[in-house]
Amino acid sequence: MHRSRKVMMSADQPGKTPAAKGIGDQEHLRVLGYEDSFHRSMSLWANFALGFTYLSPLVGVYSLFALALSTGGPPSIFWILIVGAGQLLVALVFGEVVSQYPIAGGIYPWTRRLWGKRYAWMAAWVYVWAMLVTITAVAEFGSGFLGSLIDAPVTKEVTLGLSVLFLLVAFAFNFSGTKMLGRVARIGLGAELIGVIGLGLYLLIFQRKQEFSVFFNTMGVEGDGNYAVAFLGAALAGLFLFYGFEACGDVAEEVANPARGIPRAMILTILVGGVSALFSFGGYVMAAPDLQAVVDGNDIDPIPAILEASLGTVGAKLFLVVAITAFLSCVLSLQAAASRLMFSFARDGMIPGHAWLSRVSPRTAVPVNALIVACSIPLALCLLIYAGGSLTQITAFAVIGIYVAFQSVVLAALRQRIKGWRPAGPFNLGRAGFVVNVVALAYGVFAMVLLALPGKTGVFLDDWIVLIGLAVVMGAGLLYLFIAKPHTNSHQPEGDAIAVAALLRAHPGNAASAAPGAPGATDAGGPRPTSVSD
């Protein structure tokens, strides 16, 4: 619900900034054109847990450990540092955006308010499909852990049944409300920390079978070629890990003081996730009884053997319980993020069935219908895989799709900065924001190029599947956009970052205080316009 307003403003004093301490969550939302639809029952700790369990270093490291070592050898661990640093820059940009726009849905409302309706429609379309596919992939991977725990045979029927079980259990927790989501996310956080930091340290200290110098040893992975090519090929080891932090912003309307807390939760997700991934990846490398076999590609699933050798049969089973908890929490967080994105999309009338999708349960204050879709489509994809579809081919575009959506926010933010936008939220990088934004965009382009590079198997579909998947999703989205024109159904604000920044600075709750521009405070140097109408 958007209300048109005209606000008279006085001139700023250069170097002075509103601290944005006085404006409340409800009033901040009203300035953005909405009323509260949710219960603000999620704490900062639970918000961080949501982002961390979505990022899930345990899931990421387990899924790509063998591939990373066989492609780039032990030095592939450095991709965790490289990508972590790049994604931290992206998280800082996101932090400034969500601090001004603490609206449910994340990518969609941010791109809409930074650029426009059609641009936001495409960004959200790509992102929601990337998330739905990722939900499917995590449930499918998790079924393997659950099957191992209960000693179930590895059949297509068992994999389907256990994947469906993951999806339905996560849906039930999500359906119960935001408090339950926060509780389970915190449990998942504990499981992740035990499974990655605790186990990683144990392996590094007590089960070390390699020297630390192994991380500088290619172990012949480059063959007769250049190691730089092999190292670039192992980039997925880091690129697959560091997303999920934006989920903290997807539930912005369910968090108290989101303009301050969510940027911190995003940054904490990257930092703790990066340290966790380093300990986990490093521990597996150091404890591998036959590391050369992994590097040579002869052992394509080495982690169970590492755990069995290091923890024994009982210890390995206990780890499976921890891993299953982490996988369930990851599915839960993904479902929650996807449902909030679809709710935000539908609330603005931008998708078919928007009236149904935008309904919020009066009892639990969650978008139940959007949750149903966030569970149903992955269920359908699991059936497609069971019928003969390839999990690799179905999920190939997911990572690059997420990076495309992320960089759509970074690009839109930079465009607004060039036009004169100075973020007005309480989390702000000040004058450093422009430089951070430029470097974050450059990193994002570099990452997408690495993800899009075709393989070298000689099989066309396998080598080009990433770009084919992205082209299919974006092509379908563009076709629907130009034929059905869903953006014409929406009359909510768009491209109003400069105007909203002025409104927030002029708000009585913000105007009472000022502090020098610096990280964490708004850089308000320069004159304000005499009036703004949005």
Side-chain angles (χ1 to χ4, degrees), residues 443-460:
Y443 156 77
V445 171
F446 169 69
M448 288 188 291
V449 168
L450 290 178
L451 288 167
L453 289 174
K456 297 179 180 179
T457 66
V459 180
F460 178 81

Side-chain angles (χ1 to χ4, degrees), residues 25-44:
D25 296 342
Q26 288 186 346
E27 185 56 30
H28 193 155
L29 206 55
R30 288 193 191 101
V31 171
L32 302 177
Y34 297 100
E35 298 292 341
D36 263 340
S37 301
F38 300 95
H39 297 154
R40 294 190 181 273
S41 54
M42 181 173 282
S43 66
L44 174 61

Side-chain angles (χ1 to χ4, degrees), residues 329-352:
S329 297
C330 187
V331 174
L332 179 90
S333 300
L334 280 160
Q335 280 186 354
S339 67
R340 271 54 171 191
L341 172 58
M342 285 187 281
F343 163 81
S344 181
F345 218 13
R347 179 169 62 178
D348 286 358
M350 294 280 276
I351 49 175

Side-chain angles (χ1 to χ4, degrees), residues 409-501:
V409 178
V410 177
L411 176 61
L414 182 58
R415 175 176 176 265
Q416 284 292 337
R417 289 183 196 276
I418 292 171
K419 293 172 68 175
W421 176 51
R422 290 168 289 113
F427 176 86
N428 196 287
L429 301 174
R431 291 177 177 85
F434 186 88
V435 175
V436 170
N437 205 153
V438 169
V439 179
L441 182 62
Y443 156 77
V445 171
F446 169 69
M448 288 188 291
V449 168
L450 290 178
L451 288 167
L453 289 174
K456 297 179 180 179
T457 66
V459 180
F460 178 81
L461 185 60
D462 291 342
D463 289 346
W464 292 90
I465 188 62
V466 172
L467 287 179
I468 291 172
L470 183 63
V472 168
V473 171
M474 293 191 72
L478 283 169
L479 195 62
Y480 182 81
L481 179 63
F482 285 110
I483 292 175
K485 302 185 186 303
H487 59 284
T488 60
N489 299 325
S490 175
H491 303 288
Q492 292 289 359
E494 60 178 312
D496 62 352
I498 295 173
V500 166

Side-chain angles (χ1 to χ4, degrees), residues 173-264:
F173 282 128
N174 265 312
F175 194 84
S176 300
T178 303
K179 283 188 176 180
M180 180 59 71
L181 170 63
R183 290 192 191 105
V184 178
R186 288 194 295 270
I187 293 171
L189 171 64
E192 285 273 359
L193 294 178
I194 293 170
V196 288
I197 293 183
L199 178 61
L201 282 173
Y202 172 77
L203 296 177
L204 284 169
I205 296 171
F206 299 107
Q207 298 294 327
R208 192 168 73 243
K209 296 176 175 63
Q210 324 292 336
E211 297 297 328
F212 281 103
S213 59
V214 75
F215 294 112
F216 300 92
N217 184 354
T218 67
M219 300 184 70
V221 74
E222 70 275 21
D224 296 328
N226 190 324
Y227 178 69
V229 176
F231 184 69
L232 288 174
L236 196 62
L239 295 173
F240 186 71
L241 272 169
F242 287 98
Y243 56 86
F245 58 89
E246 83 291 347
C248 301
D250 287 332
V251 295
E253 293 177 41
E254 299 163 73
V255 179
N257 199 8
R260 289 183 178 277
I262 288 177
R264 298 172 185 170

Side-chain angles (χ1 to χ4, degrees), residues 501-521:
L503 285 169
L504 289 172
R505 289 192 177 94
H507 192 278
N510 291 337
S513 60

Side-chain angles (χ1 to χ4, degrees), residues 57-116:
L58 187 152
V59 173
V61 170
Y62 188 96
S63 301
L64 290 171
F65 178 74
L67 177 64
L69 283 182
S70 62
T71 305
S76 57
I77 193 173
F78 292 106
W79 277 112
I80 296 175
L81 295 173
I82 295 168
V83 176
Q87 289 293 79
L88 180 60
L89 297 176
V90 175
L92 291 172
V93 175
F94 279 22
E96 287 191 301
V97 176
V98 73
S99 192
Q100 177 165 316
Y101 290 108
I103 309 173
I107 298 289
Y108 162 68
W110 299 343
T111 50
R112 179 183 180 117
R113 307 303 281 265
L114 290 170
W115 196 304

